[in-house]
Amino acid sequence: MARVPELYGSLVFNEKVMKDKLPKDVFKALKKTMEQGTHLELDVANSVAVAMKEWAVENGATHFTHWFQPLTGATAEKHDSFISPVGGGEVIMEFSGKELVKGEPDASSFPSGGLRATFEARGYTAWDPTSPAFLKDGTLCIPTAFCSYSGEALDKKTPLLRSMEALSKEATKVLNLLGNTEVTSVTTTVGPEQEYFLIDEKDYAKRKDLIFTGRTLLGAPSPKGQEMDDHYFGSIRPRVSAYMHDLDEELWKLGIPAKTKHNEVAPSQHELAPIFDTTNVAVDHNQLMMEVMKKVAHKHGYVCLLHEKPFAGINGSGKHNNWSMSTNTGLNLLEPGKTPGENTQFLVFLMAVIKAVDEHADLLRLSVASAGNDHRLGANEAPPAIISMFLGDELTAVVDAIEKGTLFSNEKRVQMETGATVLPHFFKDTTDRNRTSPFAFTGNKFEFRSLGSSASVANPNIMLNTAVADVLAGFYEELKGYEGEALQDAVKALLKKTIIEHKRVIFNGNGYTEEWVEEAAKRGLYNFKSTPEVLPRLITPENIALFVKHGIYTETEAMSRYEILLENYCKTLHIETCTLQDMLNHEFLPATLKYADQLTASILAKKQVCTSISTKAEEKQLAFATEKYEALYELVEKLHADTVAAEGMEDLLEQATFYHETIIPEMVSARELADAVEAVMPKDVIPYPSYSDMLFYV
Ligand code: ADP
Ligand code: MG
């Protein structure tokens, strides 16, 4: 693979291509726009469009599309070809600056939460020059923002860019005040680790639940699960390895720096992590990565499952959002350096994140809420639903010292004693691993671990950026006007006050225990257990004021997102309950009857041969199957009636709560009954591939 450097980014209109293709002044103007967000003149856009088209056509493209992220959670594209008739039945390939900068997809069928009445279906896409254009299946894809005729954001990119700007503005003000006057902007950086399952396409095709809902609604556990911990970091099977290899190559071509891959805890579960990038690009790349993962899986006879909980009884999939802030001068603001206790600038930003996470825990929790992720959070396999922070020993000692006003002495870092002289000696990381914390400091960044595997990482980053921007704005207000020693004192006082007020959010222990749930309640931390419980936090007066203050969402935009999230939750559950009823009615109940028939036939046949022969076992089995059959049938009737009731509810929150409180428990009970029968049924009667088939034979 000597050709990786050549392969890398070969499908991306990146800086190297731009430099080659663009006149010098145009390249300079574009770069300024990319780096400083300055307005781009139409003549520059025209020139860029010509170069883009030329490059795209040279690489086999025939179409272009404005690629955007509507509020469905997926990405959207509408392809137009470059052709333009020139008479005489001939065409040339054309692409203008206007077409590059603005698009006008008919947008009436995307969710807008009432933002855009359907009679006024116009939506606009606007080129985002900060995320590079790329080629996909012969189409030039141009990352764009998506908004309504009246300018409201209809997507995730627009508020994300707004939140990055807000953070940059507030962080720069604080840095300048602290004497770091060279800094003119700050960007947030993100590296999302993505978990996924691979199962065989043939099994997938036989499971309606996977096809319609992305997760199994039925299925008895296989004799072996993940209890041996033998899959985690285990050697990768050849077929999976071939997939991963192919996947890396496809991602590299798209300029996505896929770096780390390994087997995860659950059987058939894996993880892929790229190297971090600016948040905007990382979010786009993660969307693209999920798409490529599915596509490449297909080539290998797999289906890639990105659902948060495809299988009961074994771990589900999440995403770890590694996050930091970095200045235009190249400084990572969360890098503690050798002596964090003396690094004022680091401490200010660390404290800002601590306060942000404590004050806006509701928004962080909300940003990861979905029907799928409800199965993980709080289920002792993912971080708990309570948002707390892990700092590790060294930083905890530092913040303790600040609180007590004692001087923090940075003891010599401990040399790791491996006990084997042939191994190189290395220094212990200042933070240990704590897998149960939702928000952990990991050396020079924070890792927000509550994200679901299938969702865009845009929302969590919008909330995180906004929360930290807001705290920094407050810090600035408290510190401005001071200089020299007075400023030093003011900073010290601010740090002390902040840690006293917000240390309740710091928790270095085991987040999976019942004691923590009690302790967190005593500390006054939120514990939103489900999506319907937390969603209303999006539109509380104080949160709307926060969004408006920092220009993230208008009130209408926040309301629309609230409505879309609720609607999405209800629709997801509606599809799940309908799929479950369908599978029970058409597959599982008939299979149970067939099983009962076989038993009955056996009893009758034996009796015919000889009346004294025992049929005790069959009778017992028959009684068991019949009892479960009847109970299951009753539950299906109940599920059906309750689904109709849910559909009739006009109030979305009431509907969502009903799904959560009534329908989900019924689905769980139905599953328990069905799985108990599946566990004793003959293999050829089970109407779909079993957990063993799916998880252990790929
Ligand atoms: P883990 O040990 O948590 O599994 P990985 O190496 O798999 O760690 O992932 C760590 C992720 O954090 C990578 O995507 C890496 O690029 C990212 N990362 C490293 N530094 C930063 C930073 N300053 N900002 C954001 N992400 C970062
Ligand atoms: Mg990690």
Side-chain angles (χ1 to χ4, degrees), residues 188-193 232-233 257 259-262 264 271-277 279 320-326 332-335 433 435 442 444-447 449:
T188 52
T189 49
V190 162
E193 302 161 49
Y232 190 55
F233 283 17
K259 169 94 174 156
T260 311
K261 51 187 182 184
H262 58 79
E264 258 302 328
E271 180 184 297
L272 175 62
I275 296 170
F276 72 99
D277 213 321
T279 303
H320 289 177
N321 191 76
N322 294 274
W323 178 93
S324 190
M325 296 166 275
S326 113
N332 177 357
L333 292 171
L334 293 178
E335 173 61 58
R433 298 259 144 190
R435 291 169 60 95
T442 49
N444 58 3
K445 61 189 187 311
F446 275 101
E447 192 170 329
R449 295 172 171 152

Side-chain angles (χ1 to χ4, degrees), residues 6 185 219 243 380 416 486 557 599 644 686:
E6 286 94 82
S185 66
Y243 164 77
N380 286 5
M416 190 77 178
E557 285 172 342
L599 293 166
V644 173
I686 303 174

Side-chain angles (χ1 to χ4, degrees), residues 50 67 264 273 343 577 587 618 650:
V50 170
W67 185 76
E264 258 302 328
N343 185 345
T577 177
E587 296 174 353
E618 288 98 320
E650 297 227 337

Side-chain angles (χ1 to χ4, degrees), residues 72-73 156 213 215 306-309 317-319 363-377 385 450-456 459-460 528-535 564-570 572-573 576 656 660 664:
T72 50
K156 299 187 174 164
T213 74
R215 72 182 185 101
L306 291 175
H307 193 281
E308 283 77 15
K309 190 74 183 174
S317 298
K319 210 144 31 189
L363 292 178
L364 292 177
R365 172 65 184 87
L366 176 107
S367 74
V368 298
S370 70
N373 217 14
D374 277 359
H375 296 287
R376 298 175 61 239
L377 301 179
S450 312
L451 287 73
S453 49
S454 70
S456 156
N459 281 344
F528 295 108
K529 296 199 187 70
S530 72
T531 300
E533 269 173 79
V534 74
L535 285 187
I564 290 171
L565 286 166
L566 266 182
E567 221 174 66
N568 190 286
Y569 180 84
C570 293
T572 304
L573 275 140
E576 286 190 357
H660 177 65
I664 291 182

Side-chain angles (χ1 to χ4, degrees), residues 557-610:
E557 285 172 342
M559 292 299 289
S560 76
R561 272 139 189 97
Y562 169 66
E563 212 168 287
I564 290 171
L565 286 166
L566 266 182
E567 221 174 66
N568 190 286
Y569 180 84
C570 293
K571 285 180 183 166
T572 304
L573 275 140
H574 185 254
I575 296 171
E576 286 190 357
T577 177
C578 291
T579 304
L580 179 63
Q581 290 167 53
D582 184 289
M583 286 175 78
L584 291 172
N585 282 328
H586 298 129
E587 296 174 353
F588 199 79
L589 286 169
T592 311
L593 269 191
K594 191 167 158 196
Y595 172 43
D597 282 351
Q598 284 178 3
L599 293 166
T600 313
S602 163
I603 295 167
L604 290 176
K606 277 189 183 173
K607 292 284 182 212
Q608 245 172 21
V609 175
C610 164

